[in-house]
Amino acid sequence: MRTIRRLIEAKKREREESGEAGFSLIELIIVVVILGILVAVAIPLVGNLQHAAEESAAEAAAANVATQIASDLAQGGTGALPVEADEISKKYTFTGTVDKLETLCVTATSIKDTTASGTAGPGCAADD
């Protein structure tokens, strides 16, 4: 590391004496290598953040559907899952137990990322 630093300092002194301005090839290569390392570290982190966001969105969708079904069951309805025309059903598939309020558990799975899913409802607490 000291050798590289001495070489860079020598080149700077040489440029100052000759009146040259700009960066040397070694300096540019070092910058490119550092940027490459930063990108190599950042890409997996961004990928993990996107998956975590998909998981959170699926959890929120499951909670939304569980609330809709609980409301329908409380009003004496059948507690059917959302209709296909609903905007939320275009992004998630829903499965679960909807026969009565105590066992209500809805699972939402993202259509875009099938590994991202979330569950919600009073019946899901026993499964955790």
Side-chain angles (χ1 to χ4, degrees):
M1 195 66 164
R2 285 185 178 181
T3 307
I4 294 173
R5 188 175 297 151
R6 287 180 188 158
L7 180 64
I8 290 172
E9 288 174 4
K11 289 288 185 180
K12 283 183 183 178
R13 273 187 260 122
E14 194 177 292
R15 279 196 313 244
E16 288 173 1
E17 292 172 2
S18 65
E20 292 181 29
F23 298 104
S24 69
L25 181 61
I26 294 174
E27 292 170 329
L28 292 175
I29 289 173
I30 290 171
V31 168
V32 169
V33 168
I34 290 171
L35 288 175
I37 292 169
L38 290 175
V39 167
V41 169
I43 288 176
L45 293 176
V46 170
N48 290 340
L49 287 175
Q50 288 176 334
H51 183 70
E54 283 287 332
E55 288 272 335
S56 295
E59 190 80 28
N64 186 18
V65 170
T67 302
Q68 290 175 358
I69 293 172
S71 174
D72 189 42
L73 286 172
Q75 293 175 3
T78 60
L81 290 171
V83 293
E84 291 299 317
D86 192 1
E87 190 65 31
I88 200 169
S89 68
K90 293 179 184 175
K91 297 178 183 175
Y92 302 95
T93 55
F94 299 98
T95 56
T97 308
V98 294
D99 54 350
K100 59 183 181 175
L101 189 58
E102 293 79 23
T103 60
L104 172 63
C105 182
V106 176
T107 301
T109 305
S110 174
I111 294 172
K112 180 180 173 185
D113 179 7
T114 56
T115 61
S117 64
T119 57
C124 297
D127 296 339
D128 291 341

